[in-house]
Amino acid sequence: MDNTTKRWRTIDIVVASVIAVAFGVIFWAWGLVWSATEGAFAFFPPAQTLLYGVWLMPAVIGGLVIRKPGAALYCETVAAVLSALLGSQWAGTVIPQGIVQGIGAELAFAAFRYRSFRLPTAVFAGALTGLSAALFDFFVWNVDYALTDYRIPYALLTIVSATVIAGAGGWLLTRALANTGVLDRFPAGRNRALI
C-alpha cells in the first residue's frame, strides 16, 4: 500500500463516522438487550458472551469498507465513545475497551498489509477483536470471577462470538451493502465479488 492509498479522503472519514455512529447507537441498545437476557443464561452465565460479537462489528466493517490503516480502530473507538455519551450502563470504561477492541481488528488487517479483505481476513479480524475484548474483560470486568468456571469459558465464547458475528457477519453485511451500490466509491463496492 503506497502513501497515496493510505491517506484518508473526506468520504472515508464521513463513511467511517456514519458506521461508528450507527453502531454507537446499536451498542447502547445492545446493552439493554444484554441486561434483559441475563436470566436466560443463568444456567451458564459465560454463555451470554455468545451475544458479544455485535459490539465488535464496527471494527471489522470499518476495516472492510475503508481499507486503510486506522479504520478499524477509528470505527470501534468512535462507536464506544458515542455509546458512553448515550448513557451506557458501563459508563466511560467502554471507551478504553473500544480502543482495545479496535486494535485487535486493526492488527488483523495490518497482518495482511491492508491488501486482503476476503472472508478469511474478516474472520481473522473478528477473532482478534474478540481476543482483545476477552483480554480486556479478563482483567477489567471479570477479575473477581473464578478462573475455570467463568473467566476462561467467557473468554473463549467471546472469541467464538466475535469470529462468527463480527467476522463472518461483518463480511456478510459489508457484502450486502456493496451489492446495493452504496459503497461504489470504495474498493469494497467496486470489487463486489471479491469482498
Side-chain angles (χ1 to χ4, degrees):
M1 182 175 270
D2 63 33
N3 284 337
T4 58
T5 57
K6 286 183 186 178
R7 285 192 202 151
W8 283 50
R9 305 168 297 164
T10 303
I11 193 166
D12 296 330
I13 296 166
V14 170
V15 171
S17 298
V18 168
I19 291 168
V21 168
F23 274 99
V25 174
I26 291 168
F27 284 5
W28 172 80
W30 202 245
L32 300 175
V33 171
W34 182 269
S35 295
T37 60
E38 283 181 1
F41 294 96
F43 68 97
F44 186 59
Q48 189 175 18
T49 63
L50 292 171
L51 305 174
Y52 203 118
V54 171
W55 279 307
L56 307 172
M57 288 185 79
V60 176
I61 293 170
L64 291 173
V65 171
I66 306 302
R67 298 183 177 189
K68 295 189 178 170
L73 177 60
Y74 177 85
C75 288
E76 191 71 32
T77 302
V78 172
V81 168
L82 182 60
S83 172
L85 291 174
L86 290 174
S88 165
Q89 65 232 42
W90 299 285
T93 307
V94 298
I95 297 170
Q97 187 170 19
I99 293 168
V100 169
Q101 293 165 348
I103 289 171
E106 199 68 49
L107 289 173
F109 292 114
F112 290 99
R113 300 178 65 200
Y114 300 94
R115 292 184 178 159
S116 176
F117 303 95
R118 295 177 185 259
L119 179 59
T121 305
V123 168
F124 184 51
L128 283 188
T129 194
L131 175 62
S132 65
L135 288 171
F136 185 92
D137 291 1
F138 197 87
F139 294 107
V140 175
W141 298 117
N142 299 333
V143 77
D144 294 331
Y145 291 94
L147 183 65
T148 56
D149 293 343
Y150 190 88
R151 292 168 76 190
I152 291 174
Y154 180 103
L156 294 174
L157 291 172
T158 297
I159 295 167
V160 168
S161 176
T163 301
V164 173
I165 296 173
W171 181 82
L172 288 169
L173 182 56
T174 302
R175 186 175 178 164
L177 288 169
N179 286 336
T180 68
V182 300
L183 300 178
D184 284 350
R185 304 249 347 238
F186 295 89
R190 293 189 293 268
N191 301 330
R192 292 179 190 164
L194 301 177
I195 300 175

